[in-house]
Amino acid sequence: MADFETQIKESQAQVAEAQAKISAITSRIEAARSKLDQGAELDVENATLEEVHKHTDLMNANIAELIMGLDDVTAGFSKDFDEMRTKTGMESFIGIFSSAKAESMRQERMRAASIDDKLQDLISKSDVIVKLLQGQLDILNAQKTKVEGNLAGTLTEREETVGALEAVRAEVAAMDPRIIELENKISVEQDAAARTKLETELATLNAKYNALVQDEQVKLAKSQTLERYIEKGKTWVDSLQNQAATQLVLINKLQTDTKQRVVLYDALTSSLKTAQQQDVAHRINEIGVKTDQEAQTAMAAIGAATNDKMADMLEAHEGHMVFARQILEQKAKADERFARRFAAIVEKHDKNAYGG
Amino acid sequence: MANEVKDQLTSDHAELYDTLTARRYFAKFERIGGHLARVAAEVEAEGKLSRTEARVLGVYLKAVAGTFRALSNKYLMTGRGEGAPKLTIDRHESGFPVAQELMTMAVDAQQAERHLAGMPSETELKDRMVRQIVGELTIPTALQFALSQRYYYEALAAGGIFWARNDPDAQWIANVGERRQYLVHWAVWDTQVNLPVVYLMDLEDSGRKPLPNDAYRWPQVQHALMAQAIGGLKLLTIATGFDKDFADLHPKRLRRIVLGPMYSASFTLQSGPISQVLEGTKAPDGEDWALVWTVEDLVSEREEAVKEGWFSSSVRQIYKLDPVAGADLGATRQERMIILPEKPYQVLVEQNPRGLQGLRKFVVGAGGRLIPTL
């Protein structure tokens, strides 16, 4: 990503330049502020502001390009995803001979595939840009507060100046009737001494009047200078505010983009891996399942055999029982026969009737 | 079209933009972090974890707490300063910060030293704060932010943090005949569900060199395990794939411990019985949470020799699957535990929802005491 690096360097240089220009303007505004009392004119001309604007526009365009440039970084991801979906040349070649082997090679590659490093790279690159923008934003905000503080002071000063101007004007206005009155008095005065005294008085009054008018002009000029200064300052604050807004938009866009990208890429990788492997894993474990099935059949066979034997035995038992019963019956008959014959002998014996 | 997908994927991400909300969130997790260690101790006492396993798990649990501490410093000034960052959490079926937060933290950690070198020291910052408070009679927001960031970078530099990826480590356990037995453990902050996940694998090594010293196999093993540490993969998938890729390594048992999600009536969105339990509780702040902890376990039943090619054969593990849910679960057994404070537990017992009956319940009593229930 040499491109990205150089682009970052370029942007950093541009940001530094823009910051220098912005600071320069602010410091000129400040310097002008301190010289205002000596009646110096503010020399921040519109041309200079234009130049700064042009430069910051250029810089923002460059940073926007940088954000778009992240797409190059992300293009690397799509290559990875493609690789996960398709077979490599070697795998296709082996697939001609053994599709199973080719598939197992691909599975192994899938298992080892990881985009974590790339995600980290994406995050760190976007972080660099965010830091760049954030630095710029901080500078803009700092300059804005500085100029705003300055302006607030100037505004109070202008208010004071305007107040003083009003006071001078009121004084001048108040002098007018007195001068007219004196002039009228002089025009009707006959006594030379009194007239001279009145004329001296008029001259003093006139001198004071002129001084006041001059003072009024100075105050007016100062008020105007301050007003111009405030106008320029306001324009500058506006411009700083706009730039800060642009920075914020860029930062938000970049952060949201990166967040969503990371989630998307990660989800895609996971689902690719998951879909490909789960199925295979179960198939592999079926080696065992097959054995289990055989074992179960065997068990069932053994069970069946046992039952057969039992049944045989039971069936045979019937035979035994029948046989046994026959024997018992025969024995009973024999016993009966014996008893009958024996009874006859016993009777003979009891009656002592032998050979009798 | 692409943007729609992106929006959907991030739809359950929420930013904590308010100072108090963020503070409450971190305070909650600090409390929960303490209980986790007790649950681990309880499970060890029941004999379900060996001493080594409990120790390994304990390290990860401490690291999770460390991560939360670091993040809490990073986001200390949320909502106060203009440029102060905001924490993004996943509020559906997680309640933890999203994985990108952790990735960003990893990037920050790379630059921590540089940041610290360029920053004024803590005493200097505090001194300046006092000056501003006394001299200018204003709140030193910027200085407070600077100090919070300093604490954050100090925490990163000090380590003991659960990163987005915690690479595998092997612990020798015993020699079984010709084979060496290891406990291999690794952990990730799962990017799909945004939860910390710990993997423990009992591994038998029949190779010539001990695995952790084998410069040829060990890096490959580490890479393979990290690339497979995805929540969407079943344990069976991970284990069989690993078994196939490494002929002389025999994964005998694989466990996955998911340390979440955390449910909270005020921070997360939940569906199902747990939401009724939490809403029915009406508990005061700090007592309206429940943390679910899932342990999946896959055990090898036996080994079989499998022919590979014409002349070679290798040994493969055949795993025992749950007789009923085995095919779906891809594991021998799965156990879920729920940790919750007394009040939600009362409601849980009263409602006794069917969906939560099979869970092992741990109740956090007064003073942080943990009461296991049956």
Side-chain angles (χ1 to χ4, degrees), chain B residues 317-356:
Chain B
Q317 305 296 321
I318 304 299
Y319 294 98
K320 194 173 155 192
L321 291 184
D322 188 286
V324 185
D328 286 334
L329 200 62
T332 312
R333 66 185 83 86
Q334 186 193 40
E335 195 182 1
R336 302 184 79 204
M337 290 171 253
I338 187 166
I339 307 151
L340 68 181
E342 277 168 349
K343 278 193 177 169
Y345 179 69
Q346 286 294 333
V347 180
L348 179 70
V349 173
E350 276 164 30
Q351 294 187 351
N352 197 17
R354 187 177 289 269
L356 298 176

Side-chain angles (χ1 to χ4, degrees), chain B residues 166-180:
Chain B
N166 303 276
D167 284 345
D169 196 5
Q171 165 89 43
W172 178 83
I173 300 290
N175 278 359
V176 182
E178 298 268 292
R179 294 177 175 182
R180 284 172 291 271

Side-chain angles (χ1 to χ4, degrees), chain A residues 176-196:
Chain A
D176 274 346
R178 279 180 65 200
I179 291 174
I180 293 167
E181 194 192 336
L182 264 180
E183 277 173 352
N184 286 343
K185 272 188 187 163
I186 289 169
S187 64
V188 295
E189 186 58 62
Q190 303 296 321
D191 180 30
R195 191 190 169 96
T196 315

Side-chain angles (χ1 to χ4, degrees), chain A residues 111-112 263 266 273 277-278, chain B residues 100 191-192 223 227 237 245:
Chain A
R111 275 199 290 276
V263 173
D266 191 77
K273 280 190 179 181
Q277 291 180 55
Q278 301 278 41
Chain B
Q100 287 98 300
T191 44
Q192 293 303 296
H223 178 78
T237 312
D245 290 347

Side-chain angles (χ1 to χ4, degrees), chain B residues 95-222:
Chain B
F96 281 69
V98 296
Q100 287 98 300
E101 293 285 353
L102 278 275
M103 294 186 187
T104 315
M105 198 161 81
V107 175
D108 289 341
Q110 286 168 5
Q111 306 168 11
E113 293 296 332
R114 205 158 48 93
H115 279 290
L116 285 174
M119 269 181 181
S121 72
E122 187 181 334
T123 35
E124 197 184 333
L125 281 169
K126 282 186 175 164
D127 185 50
R128 279 199 223 165
M129 278 186 213
V130 172
R131 275 165 207 276
Q132 191 179 338
I133 293 167
V134 177
E136 298 173 28
L137 298 180
T138 49
I139 298 170
T141 316
L143 290 171
Q144 286 173 333
F145 180 67
L147 186 58
S148 73
Q149 296 308 295
R150 184 172 177 93
Y151 284 152
Y152 171 57
Y153 286 117
E154 275 174 359
L156 291 186
I161 280 182
F162 196 101
W163 303 106
R165 302 166 42 194
N166 303 276
D167 284 345
D169 196 5
Q171 165 89 43
W172 178 83
I173 300 290
N175 278 359
V176 182
E178 298 268 292
R179 294 177 175 182
R180 284 172 291 271
Q181 200 182 358
Y182 293 100
L183 173 69
V184 181
H185 53 92
W186 65 101
V188 291
W189 196 279
D190 195 277
T191 44
Q192 293 303 296
V193 290
N194 298 311
L195 288 175
V197 180
V198 179
Y199 291 84
L200 301 172
M201 182 192 259
D202 293 349
L203 188 65
E204 285 183 9
D205 173 21
S206 58
R208 230 179 303 148
K209 261 186 159 182
L211 179 64
N213 300 338
D214 194 335
Y216 180 70
R217 287 183 304 159
W218 184 228
Q220 279 188 19
V221 167
Q222 284 180 312

Side-chain angles (χ1 to χ4, degrees), chain A residues 183-316:
Chain A
E183 277 173 352
N184 286 343
K185 272 188 187 163
I186 289 169
S187 64
V188 295
E189 186 58 62
Q190 303 296 321
D191 180 30
R195 191 190 169 96
T196 315
K197 198 187 160 209
L198 277 176
E199 273 177 350
T200 318
E201 207 177 318
L202 180 64
T204 329
L205 210 56
N206 267 335
K208 197 180 171 193
Y209 181 85
N210 285 340
L212 275 174
V213 168
Q214 207 183 349
D215 200 16
E216 183 192 351
Q217 275 165 1
V218 170
K219 288 260 178 340
L220 190 64
K222 191 179 177 194
S223 159
Q224 281 170 346
T225 317
L226 284 172
E227 199 174 347
R228 265 202 300 281
Y229 177 83
I230 289 165
E231 280 307 309
K232 290 261 160 64
K234 270 187 188 158
T235 322
W236 185 227
V237 168
D238 272 1
S239 146
L240 285 173
Q241 215 147 22
N242 283 340
Q243 290 180 41
T246 318
Q247 299 291 319
L248 265 181
V249 168
L250 282 175
I251 289 175
N252 281 338
K253 162 106 177 82
L254 181 59
Q255 280 177 335
T256 319
D257 264 12
T258 307
K259 262 184 200 166
Q260 294 194 336
R261 268 190 185 137
V262 169
V263 173
L264 178 68
Y265 296 161
D266 191 77
L268 182 55
T269 320
S270 300
S271 56
L272 276 175
K273 280 190 179 181
T274 314
Q276 292 274 344
Q277 291 180 55
Q278 301 278 41
D279 179 37
V280 181
H282 283 272
R283 226 184 298 150
I284 291 171
N285 206 46
E286 273 166 20
I287 309 168
V289 172
K290 207 177 277 171
T291 319
D292 285 354
Q293 280 167 353
E294 274 169 22
Q296 274 169 16
T297 322
M299 273 300 288
I302 292 168
T306 319
N307 286 346
D308 284 352
K309 194 100 180 204
M310 284 284 280
D312 281 351
M313 275 164 64
L314 284 175
E315 277 165 17

